[in-house]
Amino acid sequence: MSFTHAVTRPENADELASAILGHLTYTIGKPTDAATRSDWRLALTHAIRDLVIAPWFDSVRRSYAEDRKRVYYLSMEFLIGRLLEDAVDNIGLGDMARDALEGLGQDWREVLDDEPDAALGNGGLGRLAACFLDSMSTVGLPAHGYGIRYDHGLFRQSFHDGWQVEEAEEWLRQAHPWEFQRREVQYRIGFGGTVTPGEGDAAHWEPGDAVLAAAYDTPVPGWGGKWTNTLRLWSAKPERLFELDRFNQGDFVGAAAPAILAQTISRVLYPDDTTPQGKELRLKQEYFFSAASIRDLMRRFLIDHEDLSQLPDKVAIQLNDTHPAIGVAELIRVLIDDHGMSFDAAFELARGTLHYTNHTLMPEALERWGWDLMQSVLPRHLQIIEMIDRRHEAENPDRPDVTRIIDHGEIRMGNLAFIGSCRVNGVSALHTDLMKRTVFADLHALHPDRIVNVTNGVTPRRWINTCNPGLRNLINDRIGDGWVTDLDELEKLRPLADEAGFREGLDAAKRANKVRLSNWLADRGAGTLDPDALFDVQIKRLHEYKRQLLNILETAALWNEMREHPDRDWPSRVKIFGGKAAPGYAQAKLIIKLINDIGAKINADESLRGRLKVVYPANYNVSMAEKLIPAADLSEQISTAGMEASGTGNMKFSMNGALTVGTLDGANVEIREAVGPENIFIFGKTADEVHALREHGYDSRPAIEADPRLARVISQIESGEFSPGDPDRFKGIGDTLRHHDWFVVTADFSAYWAIQRRIDDAWKHREDWLRKSAINIAGMGRFSSDRSIRNYAERVWQAETME
Ligand code: 26V
């Protein structure tokens, strides 16, 4: 028999206010006259959290009772951002919570802004995992997210004289009120040591050292509170906190050293999403969380099932990129060494249970581990990987060398994940097609049914409903709120694009967002911005393939042109950049400095009369995106075609009524289909054209010679016009553009310039612009992450939702 104490849902703001006061007093231990903003935020969070607990228990009970297939989403990164406002909205108490808090004399926005972002991810891959958590709960799919509880998330960025400076991020400095530490759930995770043969395929692995993986759970309530899943994050703890004998000998620091070493495994998120560095600590992180998760899900499976052959019917494990791919070997190891299965049987079961998502085709980003490193950190896993590789070779005797898992002393994790998985998916139609034609061409030929496409999506709860209340209310007034869980409903807005009243509403909502953003940016030193200017936004990680450089070159060229023709009817533009560079990525950091230097020059030029501004607020993160996206008129999605696997920011902007300027890359291709080519600004070389340009080594000279605007900007950069005190500063960028333009910035410059001038023109036709904006919103139904999750459930996981 089990009893649940359920807190009654408040009927009105007074009741909620009294729950908040109760927590302020009894949980936080503060009287109102001494409470800080954080105290109020924590009290509110506890009051809200109380309301998600009973539904959470219900979901867990139901999923056991009905014995449905469970999905486990293994991801090294969950870029969640803030939790409070989303939770309040998801359980339908947004207005009441605001009234309650304001009734207590607190400013709603300021209290919400007090919450630190949980930045446990680098960018797209981690944010996708967070959107998927929201959708798995909203569609009622029994699922767990598994990841790492990093002490320090993605570094904090600041600019010193325009250069990026990184500092440690400290999201856990304040209590994290959403999580529950499960002290009873701890697994011993071993590393190194020796392997001795056992019976049959089994072996005995005696690790040389070990840490404990400690579980922390966060409830993830779906929309309407109908279903709540769990995000379980692992923190590394030492087996012994402290070595008393060393302490007693006076070695106070040494006494704690082994413990500190153990804790480093979950200390910090690797901030480099460009090239895996083959670092031992990274491999240990990957194994640590994969092994803990697999042990945990096996424990749950074994509660109600004795027959291991049922595993693929009851469990689906999704590998979010290759970061948890060592889990392939771990699951097989557990089945052989702990459950006495043969290798062949274990392999078959694992391959029925595991699925792998690929998020990037860039060869340098594909993970490989040195054989020696694997041998020293995970000797038993290396044996199993060798067995998998041999088996694959035996089954495919003519397989080409590129399909090997182990080759030239390296373990290729992409091949391991592919060979060990039932389904392998790309994240947009174009990306999946390129997977089949390039990186995985040979494996695809051997296993033609394995690769499927599941185009990414984003949650409309966070990315419209919560972050853009003006637009949300406008939509609700016209078509009701069914779109929040059925985004295809937005189609109903399409005819309204032709209605002046609706366009007016759209205009007003956008303008209010731009005013709010301008004030926020002004507080961060951006000066006064004109809310009637075109807000042109590029926010994403700083990567050469994403081509922030193309954007700033065009900005500088525009500046030149405006100075030459000051009397032309230039529309006002604000160029907004946001994004972090990996700390070791020198070229990306130099591009940041270039943007800031060019920006400083332009912003100081009074002859422009404020018609061109460049702003780059530091420390872009999820909560900054929530402010920028609703206020954007133009969304920059200008990657080198063939290199951006999908993009998800592109979807968020369109949903919020921004028009896109973009290449035919990633999901831009599908966005064009959804909104129609006349409602999106597509330019530049296609993926096939880029490939052809590169085939014989791309030579940028003709492109530079043919475009005097481009030639001039490059010369300005090289001559030190933007870095007068240090004329050589940007020589490297000039050199790259002239001699190693791998990302074909120069090849696309003219087309980009031309389309930007078309955009200037389109901006002047306000009604038409708003019509396009409305059609963009109306066409975004298919980019809900609910759709993505339903696709995974049907085509990959074979799992049913609880509805
Ligand atoms: C890569 C690596 C390389 C090894 C070292 C650590 C590390 C950490 C993160 C990454 C992430 C690169 C992959 C990635 O984020 N891909 C992005 O995935 C998005 C979601 O599918 C997609 O929208 C973006 O286009 C894609 O770049």
Side-chain angles (χ1 to χ4, degrees), residues 549-585:
L549 181 57
L550 177 60
N551 188 347
I552 197 64
L553 291 180
E554 190 273 334
T555 307
L558 176 60
W559 177 56
N560 290 334
E561 196 92 346
M562 288 173 81
R563 286 183 302 164
E564 233 147 73
H565 307 282
D567 298 328
R568 261 192 215 159
D569 179 20
W570 298 107
S572 292
R573 265 204 206 225
V574 182
K575 284 267 182 186
I576 302 173
F577 292 84
K580 298 175 182 180
Y585 190 172

Side-chain angles (χ1 to χ4, degrees), residues 588-610:
K589 290 171 114 173
L590 192 60
I591 292 170
I592 291 181
K593 173 64 172 160
L594 180 67
I595 295 170
N596 283 326
D597 282 0
I598 291 181
K601 220 45 202 194
I602 291 176
N603 295 342
D605 184 345
E606 290 181 4
S607 78
L608 300 173
R609 286 175 281 128

Side-chain angles (χ1 to χ4, degrees), residues 77 122 124-125 128 272-273 276 282 321 323 359-360 365 367 427 456 545 644-648:
E77 306 191 0
N122 272 288
L125 167 148
L128 184 76
D272 192 345
D273 61 350
R282 168 95 189 171
D321 217 297
H323 315 151
H359 294 270
T360 179
E367 286 189 298
V427 290
N456 284 165
Y545 84 81
E644 188 69 271
S646 162
T648 44

